[in-house]
Amino acid sequence: QVQLVESGGDSVQAGGSLRLSCTASGLSSNFARMGWFRQAPGREREAVSVFYFGPNRPFYADFVKGRFTISKGNAANTVVLQMDKLKPEDTAIYYCAARSEPWGGEWSAPSLYSYWGQGTQVTVSS
């Protein structure tokens, strides 16, 4: 059974930093892409950043460009999201997501991701 396990969520003040990590287990092969989505209360789930392992390419939502950095971890099927200059509007549950197929669709569409973690809470206070 494939599992995605997130860590690193916490409460910080505006301007602070957090580092989220996601590791997959139970796989017989590698994912093609892994990344992060978030959902705030009363809002739809939205894409934050995704890393494509094949071309070694990151994608970012406009609202995190220049503040967040995604990278692959040292272990296979691991991604790390470094979040700097955090804002109160970044407060949300952050979910790790993964897709096995290297082809298909917009990087930011949640429907393309078959595997999801349980989520980790990020709270940014002003």
Side-chain angles (χ1 to χ4, degrees):
Q1 182 180 357
V2 176
Q3 285 189 313
L4 303 183
V5 178
E6 303 114 331
S7 62
D10 207 340
S11 297
V12 296
Q13 291 192 328
S17 299
L18 285 174
R19 188 177 178 88
L20 304 184
S21 181
C22 175
T23 299
S25 63
L27 282 167
S28 58
S29 60
N30 292 332
F31 286 128
R33 57 174 104 157
M34 291 180 72
W36 297 90
F37 291 71
R38 71 186 187 185
Q39 188 165 17
R43 301 190 63 176
E44 292 187 354
R45 190 168 297 191
E46 60 183 0
V48 175
S49 181
V50 170
F51 193 89
Y52 282 49
F53 292 112
N56 227 31
R57 180 179 176 182
F59 291 84
Y60 297 98
D62 287 343
F63 55 78
V64 302
K65 284 181 179 177
R67 301 190 298 126
F68 292 9
T69 303
I70 192 169
S71 59
K72 56 183 179 182
N74 292 330
N77 297 307
T78 299
V79 286
V80 176
L81 184 69
Q82 177 66 39
M83 305 189 295
D84 298 317
K85 302 177 184 176
L86 283 160
K87 304 175 181 179
E89 50 264 45
D90 293 319
T91 296
I93 299 175
Y94 283 69
Y95 296 92
C96 180
R99 175 176 171 87
S100 298
E101 299 81 3
W103 60 86
E106 181 65 35
W107 71 272
S108 58
S111 60
L112 291 179
Y113 295 83
S114 302
Y115 303 97
W116 291 86
Q118 293 298 309
T120 186
Q121 177 70 46
V122 171
T123 303
V124 185
S125 57
S126 57

